Amino acid sequence: METLQKIAVPTLAILAFLGLWEFIVWVNDWPNYKMASPSDLPPAFARYSHLFIEMGWQTLWRTVAGLGLAVLFGTLLGMAMGFSRIARDALYPLLVGFNAIPKATLVPVIALIFIGQHDFNTVLMAFLISFFPIAVSVGIGLSTLEPEYRDILRSLGASRVTIFRKIALPKTLPEFFGALKVSVTLAFIGTNLVEIVSPHGRGLGALFKSGETNGDYPLMFAVLIALACLGIVLYYAVVALERIFAGWAERPQS
């Protein structure tokens, strides 16, 4: 029953959203060159199905690659800040300042530095925009460990590796997966920033730009829905991993 509810509730919410979207377009009598409705999207998907498959794969693998780098770098950076107060005091202002920079302004800078390296530039932007939540969450999780637990294990002769594995890692996992859920969507934003802005872009962002150039608004909205679907798939992939590695932290709700 609980599993059925977890599937039915979000499905009904999505259907309600699409119904409301269709209703608003119908009530205002908007043509599809002003606001496409959900009923305009299936023909666009069917007409450009081969492009959605090809471009969708381009966007997906770059996003996953950038997110993987963000997990690796963000975790290492968070560990450095969590275990060292000096590192935390030194790195936090730099991280906050960098995160405050609009990432769209970095796209032309990266394009000039790495001319013609579209795949690298796209993965790099996905990484740059998504590592911050992971680094901060891991750093906070490790820095707030109860010192009593560490002292007890040290008095029993436990090594730092054992302390990390027995206390620090389980304590940090819930925060880590919470940040990873945020980073998934941010990575997609980074990928599409480069795909849209780059003159030689490939991926769903480039397909969106093509629709804008040609005035094909149903295609543009179909791309947005495709991006949303990819984001939902990756989000629930993270949820599945969270249940495997940190399912113990989820409290039953009444």
Side-chain angles (χ1 to χ4, degrees), residues 32-80:
N32 62 10
Y33 58 82
K34 183 175 183 180
M35 179 68 175
S37 65
S39 58
D40 294 322
L41 305 187
F45 280 118
R47 182 178 180 184
Y48 301 103
S49 59
H50 62 291
L51 289 177
F52 273 101
I53 294 173
E54 178 184 351
M55 299 297 189
W57 167 247
Q58 293 280 344
T59 296
L60 181 61
W61 82 257
R62 294 192 194 104
T63 302
V64 172
L67 185 63
L69 291 175
V71 169
L72 178 61
F73 181 78
T75 301
L76 293 175
L77 199 61
M79 290 174 65

Side-chain angles (χ1 to χ4, degrees), residues 56-169:
W57 167 247
Q58 293 280 344
T59 296
L60 181 61
W61 82 257
R62 294 192 194 104
T63 302
V64 172
L67 185 63
L69 291 175
V71 169
L72 178 61
F73 181 78
T75 301
L76 293 175
L77 199 61
M79 290 174 65
M81 293 189 296
F83 288 130
S84 171
R85 183 173 184 83
I86 295 177
R88 185 164 62 252
D89 292 341
L91 292 174
Y92 254 111
L94 295 175
L95 289 175
V96 172
F98 176 78
N99 196 57
I101 298 174
K103 298 306 180 288
T105 61
L106 296 179
V107 175
V109 176
I110 293 174
L112 285 174
I113 296 175
F114 306 104
I115 297 176
Q117 303 296 321
H118 177 70
D119 289 340
F120 177 80
N121 294 346
T122 310
V123 172
L124 179 60
M125 181 55 67
F127 157 72
L128 290 176
I129 205 173
S130 61
F131 82 91
F132 179 79
I134 298 173
V136 171
S137 67
V138 172
I140 292 176
L142 293 177
S143 63
T144 55
L145 287 176
E146 293 80 358
E148 296 83 3
Y149 294 152
R150 286 182 291 186
D151 293 340
I152 291 173
L153 286 179
R154 282 174 181 169
S155 66
L156 295 174
S159 65
R160 289 188 177 183
V161 175
T162 302
I163 294 174
F164 175 78
R165 184 167 55 88
K166 294 293 186 180
I167 297 180
L169 184 60

